[in-house]
Amino acid sequence: MAVSPALLFLDRNLLARKQNARLDKQNDLGWKLFGKVPLRENAQKDSKKIQKENEDKAGRPSRPPSPKQNVRRNLDFEPLSTTALILEDRPANLPAKPADEAQKHRQQYEEMVVQAKKRELREAQRRKKQLEERCRVEESIGNAVLTWNNEILPNWDTMWCSRKVRDLWWQGIPPSVRGRVWSLAIGNELNITHELFDICLARAKERWRSFSAAGAEAENEDAGFSAADREASLELIKLDISRTFPNLCIFQQGGPYHDMLHSILGAYTCYRPDVGYVQGMSFIAAVLILNLDTADAFIAFSNLLNKPCQMAFFRVDHGLMLTYFAAFEVFFEENLPKLFAHFKKNNLTPDIYLIDWIFTLYSKSLPLDLACRIWDVFCRDGEEFLFRTALGILKLFEDILTRMDFIHIAQFLTRLPEDLPADEVFVAIATVQMQSRNKKWAQVLAALQKDSREQEKGSPALRH
């Protein structure tokens, strides 16, 4: 097929332009900083030639660097264009550098290289330290996993309360065995089986289908459900799941754990219609899902919420909640008298910050890894540790809180810093003494409950 002369001319012209563009790019020395592009004949000089010319101007002989030095320089430091630029000769359309100026520029360049190497060395030392710490933590976790799997879990009934196990518990349960330990520690006093979970889940799904069929009309009717029929709270679950650990993006619609979380919460509302769904439950169920399969997470969830403290809060038993707050204040005053007086002066009551902490077992208020460590010891020590943790947090920030007013204290405690280091929190918790006038938490709480019952008779039991 014959090609027209016009097309051949255009092809040759286009090819020539591309080749010229590549040559221009290679020959461009980067002197656009001065407002001009150098001429073609002033091609970029080799760095060794530049170094030799500078040394000749300074009156010093040029020594070619050894291959070892070249390798060392390439490994340790690659000069940036801004640092290397200072050694370049001026373009042909500018006057040449005087010898003293070239010497000054070389000294500046060498100083920049030294500073850059120092920065790189510091960064390398920091990375090495981080790596060593990570290896140490991983080795510690690996050893702990072996101990839990080979020694503790096979002999749970005899070892769980030993001093060695309690110390390991305080250091944090390894994630790979955390779910099993939590299940054993929480127990199953309700004797819930996997089959019962399946029944409750099937009933929940049936209710969901009925809600979908009835549409908005059924939702409006259920908005005023009675305490005897809390199963209507199934629809409320959807509103709360989207707010559960939103940063993880695993529990929201379309996430890998959305259906599991929905199933557990829905099954619970059918299992305990007298309690129904209460805001905050989704965080507790989500933490359990991260460590257990669905059925076991439901068993742990139901038994956990059946504990006296959780049941008091989730059933909104105002009298019992006030008793818990009063017991907390007894130990608050005992451990942090200065901060306690400051809170009293500002009329800051415990319910302002404790309700959210207790409802979600700190899983919403603290970083997830720290919250799991709180859960570790909570499974060991029970409700007392929840209030001890609260005092530990207050102690950690005591100096800051004593300088704040009511509004700023409330804002701070309802939105704690996101980068709380676990070790510092546990050091603060360890300093908290849960003993007041030779009475432990359980004794103080029981005395306050008795005092509440006998208040009308005027015999405060706590004073005797």
Side-chain angles (χ1 to χ4, degrees):
M1 182 178 65
V3 180
S4 68
L7 287 177
L8 289 173
F9 174 76
L10 290 174
D11 287 344
R12 284 197 299 269
N13 214 16
L14 182 61
L15 181 60
R17 286 183 184 178
K18 289 183 177 179
Q19 289 175 344
N20 289 337
R22 282 198 293 268
L23 290 173
D24 289 343
K25 187 174 181 181
Q26 292 172 358
N27 293 332
D28 190 353
L29 284 176
W31 292 108
K32 294 177 183 179
L33 180 66
F34 296 98
K36 287 188 178 181
V37 178
L39 299 175
R40 180 74 53 82
E41 56 268 24
N42 293 327
Q44 184 175 4
K45 298 179 181 179
D46 184 72
S47 59
K48 293 181 181 179
K49 292 181 181 179
I50 295 171
Q51 183 180 3
K52 185 176 184 306
E53 290 178 6
N54 288 328
E55 288 176 347
D56 289 342
K57 290 177 182 178
R60 291 193 301 183
S62 172
R63 290 188 204 170
S66 67
K68 186 175 180 181
Q69 288 175 326
N70 280 335
V71 171
R72 177 75 176 174
R73 181 165 59 249
N74 291 336
L75 286 175
D76 286 353
F77 175 69
E78 185 69 26
L80 300 173
S81 59
T82 51
T83 58
L85 181 63
I86 199 169
L87 280 183
E88 298 286 346
D89 281 342
R90 291 174 179 169
N93 58 335
L94 293 176
K97 289 183 184 179
D100 57 344
E101 185 178 353
Q103 174 71 11
K104 177 184 176 183
H105 285 180
R106 184 171 59 256
Q107 290 176 351
Q108 291 175 346
Y109 171 74
E110 290 172 354
E111 289 174 4
M112 284 189 281
V113 170
V114 169
Q115 293 300 321
K117 286 184 176 181
K118 286 181 179 179
R119 286 194 299 271
E120 281 199 353
L121 181 60
R122 286 196 298 268
E123 180 64 20
Q125 289 173 342
R126 185 186 66 81
R127 288 197 300 265
K128 181 181 177 183
K129 187 176 179 180
Q130 284 182 338
L131 182 61
E132 289 175 349
E133 177 64 18
R134 189 186 308 162
C135 292
R136 185 191 67 78
V137 171
E138 290 177 356
E139 183 179 1
S140 175
I141 291 174
N143 293 334
V145 169
L146 292 175
T147 303
W148 281 99
N149 280 328
N150 299 335
E151 299 179 26
I152 301 171
L153 291 174
N155 307 289
W156 176 260
D157 293 336
T158 57
M159 288 198 65
W160 76 270
C161 58
S162 66
R163 180 63 181 270
K164 176 183 178 180
V165 175
R166 291 180 66 84
D167 290 343
L168 282 174
W169 224 320
W170 181 267
Q171 295 167 16
I173 301 172
S176 60
V177 297
R178 178 170 273 150
R180 293 170 61 194
V181 175
W182 285 0
S183 292
L184 289 168
I186 294 170
N188 188 12
E189 293 181 355
L190 299 174
N191 295 317
I192 300 174
T193 62
H194 287 202
E195 291 74 21
L196 179 58
F197 167 66
D198 293 336
I199 293 170
C200 293
L201 180 57
R203 189 176 181 187
K205 288 180 178 179
E206 181 62 32
R207 292 300 301 264
W208 293 331
R209 282 191 290 270
S210 67
F211 275 126
S212 299
E217 183 179 348
E219 291 182 29
N220 294 333
E221 292 176 0
D222 285 331
F225 61 85
S226 64
D229 189 21
R230 294 285 182 96
E231 288 187 30
S233 61
L234 282 171
E235 190 64 18
L236 302 177
I237 294 171
K238 295 180 181 178
L239 301 176
D240 215 22
I241 287 181
S242 62
R243 298 191 288 260
T244 304
F245 295 120
N247 294 334
L248 297 181
C249 300
I250 57 177
F251 295 106
Q252 287 65 40
Q253 185 73 38
Y257 293 109
H258 173 269
D259 292 344
M260 291 174 63
L261 181 57
H262 203 192
S263 297
I264 289 176
L265 297 175
Y268 182 77
T269 58
C270 291
Y271 173 68
R272 289 298 300 264
D274 58 317
V275 179
Y277 177 76
V278 181
Q279 191 174 12
M281 286 183 178
S282 62
F283 280 90
I284 297 177
V287 173
L288 290 170
I289 286 172
L290 293 174
N291 293 277
L292 292 162
D293 61 32
T294 309
D296 290 329
F298 174 77
I299 294 171
F301 179 76
S302 301
N303 281 275
L304 190 58
L305 265 56
N306 198 53
K307 304 291 183 185
C309 180
Q310 278 62 52
M311 192 54 67
F313 277 79
F314 282 112
R315 297 192 71 171
V316 196
D317 185 337
H318 292 287
L320 193 50
M321 288 172 68
L322 290 174
T323 303
Y324 274 104
F325 294 148
F328 170 77
E329 288 195 302
V330 170
F331 294 94
F332 187 0
E333 185 177 16
E334 188 78 24
N335 285 273
L336 303 165
K338 182 180 176 181
L339 186 60
F340 177 79
H342 182 67
F343 276 29
K344 284 292 185 183
K345 180 181 177 181
N346 285 275
N347 296 316
L348 193 86
T349 53
D351 58 289
I352 292 174
Y353 51 93
L354 275 184
I355 284 181
D356 197 40
W357 294 355
I358 302 300
F359 262 106
T360 62
L361 301 181
Y362 295 96
S363 56
K364 182 182 177 183
S365 307
L366 298 177
L368 185 56
D369 57 339
L370 174 55
C372 285
R373 282 196 62 184
I374 300 295
W375 278 49
D376 290 343
V377 188
F378 163 62
C379 290
R380 184 193 76 178
D381 294 350
E383 65 186 35
E384 173 185 329
F385 189 72
L386 297 178
F387 297 94
R388 187 181 179 190
T389 298
L391 292 173
I393 293 171
L394 295 177
K395 184 175 181 64
L396 184 64
F397 297 108
E398 181 178 13
D399 293 339
I400 299 173
L401 294 171
T402 50
R403 298 194 296 268
M404 293 181 177
D405 58 12
F406 175 89
I407 296 295
H408 290 94
I409 294 173
Q411 289 176 340
F412 183 87
L413 294 179
T414 51
R415 178 167 287 191
L416 294 169
E418 296 180 357
D419 56 347
L420 273 178
D423 291 338
E424 291 183 16
V425 174
F426 270 80
V427 167
I429 294 172
T431 62
V432 175
Q433 298 297 320
M434 297 302 284
Q435 190 166 336
S436 176
R437 300 177 184 176
N438 296 323
K439 290 184 179 180
K440 296 182 178 181
W441 168 264
Q443 294 172 313
V444 171
L445 183 65
L448 286 168
Q449 286 177 308
K450 184 179 179 181
D451 183 41
S452 179
R453 289 191 298 266
E454 298 180 355
Q455 192 172 11
E456 293 180 0
K457 300 178 183 179
S459 55
L462 188 60
R463 298 176 186 174
H464 298 295

